[in-house]
Amino acid sequence: MPLSNRLCFQINLRDKLSCVLCHKRPATADTYHQGFEYHHILPRSQGGTDDLSNLALLCHACHQDIHRKRETKPIPIPQALPQVFECLRCHSALDPETVEMN
């Protein structure tokens, strides 16, 4: 089952839109989805869930390295979501738990 838009948004926000292993960032705002993938820290096949605490944002290369066992560095345990973040357009305070996605 695919991840919800809200969950993807929360992962991107929490992980500061960068790979949690190599810290690579998207080249432009228009391409922020390209080359980045969501990784289950504990795989679904081993009982892992789609909870925010079990997902991390990785670039495609790091994600492949993990699954091919070329990357041995442990994935950092994701931090909590910020309680409030600022809208980049209007600068109002937004709550990541309630903000609506389009």
Side-chain angles (χ1 to χ4, degrees):
M1 183 172 175
L3 303 176
S4 72
N5 283 345
R6 180 176 301 281
L7 182 58
C8 292
F9 172 76
Q10 290 174 335
I11 296 165
N12 291 345
L13 179 64
R14 183 203 58 208
D15 295 348
K16 298 180 175 82
L17 202 58
S18 63
C19 176
V20 298
L21 288 177
C22 73
H23 308 290
K24 177 181 177 180
R25 297 185 58 82
T28 68
D30 294 337
T31 61
Y32 82 92
H33 269 118
Q34 297 174 3
F36 289 85
E37 300 164 0
Y38 303 108
H39 173 72
H40 288 82
I41 297 168
L42 179 63
R44 288 179 177 163
S45 62
Q46 297 175 17
T49 65
D50 288 346
D51 293 334
L52 181 63
S53 61
N54 189 47
L55 292 158
L57 187 63
L58 297 176
C59 70
H60 179 72
C62 286
H63 199 200
Q64 281 195 326
D65 286 349
I66 285 187
H67 285 284
R68 292 181 177 159
K69 310 285 190 241
R70 292 186 299 217
E71 176 62 67
T72 58
K73 191 171 31 171
I75 295 174
I77 302 298
Q79 302 298 311
L81 273 174
Q83 290 183 337
V84 176
F85 69 99
E86 184 179 293
C87 174
L88 296 176
R89 177 177 247 176
C90 68
H91 304 289
S92 63
L94 301 171
D95 178 349
E97 296 292 339
T98 61
V99 68
E100 290 298 320
M101 308 302 296
N102 54 1

